[in-house]
Amino acid sequence: MIKKIMNIKKLLLLFVAVSIVTTSCTDQDDNLFSVPGNIEIQDFVWKGLNLWYFWQGEVADLSDSKLDDAEGYIAFLQGYPNPADLFEHLRHPDDRFSVIVDDYDDLQNSQQGTSASNGVDIRYIFLNSGSSEVIGYVRYIIPGSDADGKDIRRGDIVYAVDGQSLFFNSSTDNNLGLLDPTSYTFNLADLTVSGGVRSISANGRNIALTKTNITENPILVNTTIDVGAKKVGYIMYNQFISNFDTQLNGVFADFQAQGVTDLVLDFRYNPGGFVSSAINIGSMVTGQFEGQLFTKFRYNDKIQPLLTDAQENRYFQSALSNGTAISSLGLSKVYVITTGSTASASELVINSLEPYIDVIQVGTTTTGKNEASVSLYDSPSWTFGDEQLNPNHKWAMQPLISRLENSAGFSNYTEGLNPDIVLAEDLTALGVLGDETEPLLAAALMDISAAGRPLADPTKIVPIEGITETKLRRITGNRMYIDLKVGNSDDALKNHKVIPQE
């Protein structure tokens, strides 16, 4: 196996200084060859997938033997003038979420939570089942954005853009492209529900919006609520972004100082982010499991045998990456609010805490994203920070490479994680986020106070058949990012992100 791996482009450079790679190359390098400049991107795509792709062994055209025939290999690549077409050809039928991009700047900005946004976080859904008519409901407004301060707020309904009603018949027959320009006007409507059927009527409110590049603070709301003798901490956390870990730790330090006895994590609109942040928040909730296994990664048959413990496993921590002590609450129970928009790192926190403490999930079933991809760049180490990054193009890709499991070995949640307290959001009464009367938070507080669990009104709650939403329209969508740890070469690989996704 080591001999086959050595035939792959620059693998030794990827695992430089890793003690487990001890076999010398010598004649194994003899069948490496250069390709014409017009297919250097295709060469990068094939060799990256040949090494990292989770299904590499099941895709015939990713077989190692392809490198045994230089002319045949070059001819194969030349058959795909567009690198994206080659990427799609090499995808396994079970792979729905691997991504390739032609500009890695946009990719990196999205990973850091920076994107062109007008500040309206909105989910687009079918007005009713069986209808092609689309509406969007505003979930929250990003502070400091163009929308902040304008006459648009949580619960508002968008039925048209620039006067054109929204529709969706299929992925190729819809007009959601109206949302792509930098500026447009949302046309709002009033929503009513009768007998389980939604209907809308234009209300004359038209909101002109302009996108700017903003970095959203993932901590939208944090507060404490007294429930009898209990002090409940509440935090609405909308993305796992490592740049905000220190601020997140400050919120938990405040919870700690106030004597919080119970905690509600609101992940209802959280699509994922950095695994390091997921581990940190799991450690902030607990604190009594330092050094114990948080999550384990499973790779393909090439990568798995080469991994060290540090590369394969992630553990509960006592400090942030900058050395700051984590403010831990030492809880044995936590409440987590979820919806169908809850994904990836959010699900990772739930699944990874389950073997250790009581996790009470409130809301609806999560997305179900338990696989991982890696951001690959055309450089000897496959990373962006490599001094030999190819200057001739800006293509990058994120092939699925791994699956995640918790310390009990459980990873089978591709259909989502089901709530203990089932309660869907009511579009006619979404409530104020962080207010103790907001329905999903109220449900958690009722359980904390042992006052029972609320029942949904079947005449009001209509299934929300989602099409897309603000965060999913970003390049990275629902993903998690981690630093791939490769022994002493960690510094060279500091930009090497692994992205668990569906």
Side-chain angles (χ1 to χ4, degrees):
M1 174 173 289
I2 295 295
K3 182 173 182 178
K4 290 182 180 179
I5 293 174
M6 292 303 176
N7 289 332
I8 300 168
K9 176 188 178 187
K10 307 157 186 167
L11 180 62
L12 282 179
L13 292 175
L14 173 64
F15 288 99
V16 63
V18 182
S19 60
I20 53 177
V21 180
T22 57
T23 305
S24 173
C25 275
T26 62
D27 64 341
Q28 282 96 336
D29 287 335
D30 291 346
N31 68 347
L32 293 182
F33 46 84
S34 299
V35 300
N38 68 331
I39 57 170
E40 63 178 347
I41 302 171
Q42 290 86 339
D43 184 54
F44 152 65
V45 170
W46 188 90
K47 287 173 179 172
L49 293 178
N50 171 262
L51 172 61
W52 289 103
Y53 198 39
F54 187 75
W55 292 278
Q56 182 270 335
E58 301 174 39
V59 177
D61 278 336
L62 283 176
S63 171
D64 292 347
S65 63
K66 233 177 178 53
L67 290 178
D68 295 337
D69 177 8
E71 291 184 1
Y73 175 74
I74 291 171
F76 170 71
L77 296 186
Q78 288 176 332
Y80 296 90
N82 184 344
D85 292 337
L86 174 64
F87 184 83
E88 291 302 316
H89 170 74
L90 296 173
R91 283 175 60 153
H92 188 275
D94 292 342
D95 176 7
R96 296 172 291 164
F97 297 98
S98 291
V99 176
I100 189 167
V101 298
D102 61 7
D103 188 341
Y104 48 61
D105 289 337
D106 293 338
L107 171 66
Q108 292 171 336
N109 286 337
S110 184
Q111 289 175 347
Q112 294 295 335
T114 299
S115 63
S117 172
N118 53 39
V120 182
D121 185 275
I122 188 168
R123 191 177 194 209
Y124 296 91
I125 65 173
F126 290 108
L127 178 61
N128 288 295
S129 181
S131 169
S132 63
E133 192 171 0
V134 172
I135 61 172
Y137 66 97
V138 178
R139 303 191 298 190
Y140 64 92
I141 302 298
I142 300 173
S145 67
D146 182 61
D148 190 18
K150 293 187 175 180
D151 186 24
I152 186 168
R153 63 193 64 86
R154 174 171 168 79
D156 280 343
I157 301 297
V158 174
Y159 79 97
V161 176
D162 291 333
Q164 299 184 57
S165 296
L166 298 173
F167 72 89
F168 187 96
N169 290 313
S170 70
S171 59
T172 57
D173 181 15
N174 66 80
N175 67 347
L176 296 186
L178 292 170
L179 303 168
D180 293 338
T182 299
S183 298
Y184 50 72
T185 296
F186 275 154
N187 310 118
L188 306 186
D190 294 327
L191 175 72
T192 57
V193 179
S194 177
V197 177
R198 287 191 284 254
S199 60
I200 56 172
S201 57
N203 59 24
R205 292 169 58 205
N206 305 298
I207 313 300
L209 297 163
T210 299
K211 297 175 183 175
T212 58
N213 281 328
I214 60 175
T215 300
E216 179 183 347
N217 187 330
I219 306 169
L220 185 66
V221 183
N222 70 93
T223 188
T224 57
I225 301 168
D226 292 324
V227 179
K230 298 180 177 180
K231 177 77 71 174
V232 180
Y234 169 85
I235 179 170
M236 184 166 204
Y237 187 65
N238 288 329
Q239 194 172 354
F240 291 78
I241 303 176
S242 59
N243 290 347
F244 290 88
D245 282 356
T246 298
Q247 187 171 334
L248 178 67
N249 195 43
V251 172
F252 274 80
D254 185 57
F255 285 164
Q256 191 180 66
Q258 293 191 56
V260 161
T261 58
D262 297 82
L263 179 67
V264 179
L265 299 174
D266 195 338
F267 291 163
R268 75 181 77 187
Y269 306 140
N270 191 319
F274 282 87
V275 167
S276 58
S277 297
I279 297 170
N280 286 339
I281 203 168
S283 301
M284 292 170 194
V285 171
T286 58
Q288 63 269 44
F289 306 112
E290 178 189 350
Q292 297 190 47
L293 182 66
F294 187 83
T295 192
K296 178 184 291 288
F297 291 85
R298 296 296 186 188
Y299 298 85
N300 67 30
D301 289 342
K302 285 185 173 185
I303 300 299
Q304 195 71 41
L306 299 177
L307 297 180
T308 65
D309 177 82
Q311 295 159 354
E312 182 180 7
N313 302 313
R314 298 292 183 270
Y315 300 92
F316 285 91
Q317 300 295 311
S318 61
L320 302 179
S321 60
N322 63 8
T324 301
I326 285 177
S327 298
S328 300
L329 299 180
L331 300 178
S332 59
K333 177 190 288 187
V334 65
Y335 288 76
V336 184
I337 295 176
T338 67
T339 66
S341 297
T342 305
S344 297
S346 300
E347 295 171 301
L348 180 66
V349 170
I350 296 170
N351 190 52
S352 296
L353 287 179
E354 284 278 6
Y356 297 96
I357 66 174
D358 192 9
V359 180
I360 307 298
Q361 192 177 327
V362 180
T364 53
T365 302
T366 64
T367 300
K369 294 181 180 291
N370 65 340
E371 292 173 320
S373 71
V374 66
S375 298
L376 297 179
Y377 300 86
D378 191 3
S379 69
S381 66
W382 308 100
T383 68
F384 178 75
D386 196 311
E387 293 180 355
Q388 298 182 57
L389 178 70
N390 191 336
N392 298 330
H393 69 86
K394 301 182 76 172
W395 286 76
M397 57 182 176
Q398 296 175 340
L400 291 177
I401 66 165
S402 178
R403 285 183 176 155
L404 294 87
E405 62 184 43
N406 64 17
S407 62
F410 179 73
S411 63
N412 186 23
Y413 54 92
T414 55
E415 299 300 317
L417 297 168
N418 295 317
D420 302 285
I421 303 173
V422 181
L423 186 63
E425 288 194 309
D426 177 357
L427 298 191
T428 65
L430 286 176
V432 177
L433 293 170
D435 189 284
E436 56 192 276
T437 63
E438 185 277 311
L440 297 185
L441 175 55
L445 297 178
M446 288 178 68
D447 198 72
I448 290 172
S449 66
R453 296 180 175 182
L455 298 176
D457 181 349
T459 66
K460 290 289 187 181
I461 305 298
V462 183
I464 301 176
E465 299 180 59
I467 300 169
T468 188
E469 55 195 64
T470 301
K471 293 185 179 72
L472 293 186
R473 293 178 66 81
R474 298 174 184 168
I475 295 174
T476 49
N478 289 345
R479 291 168 176 88
M480 294 184 283
Y481 310 94
I482 68 171
D483 292 331
L484 185 64
K485 297 185 181 299
V486 185
N488 294 330
S489 62
D490 279 356
D491 289 342
L493 296 178
K494 63 183 178 181
N495 292 312
H496 206 139
K497 308 293 191 302
V498 173
I499 307 169
Q501 57 183 341
E502 188 169 302

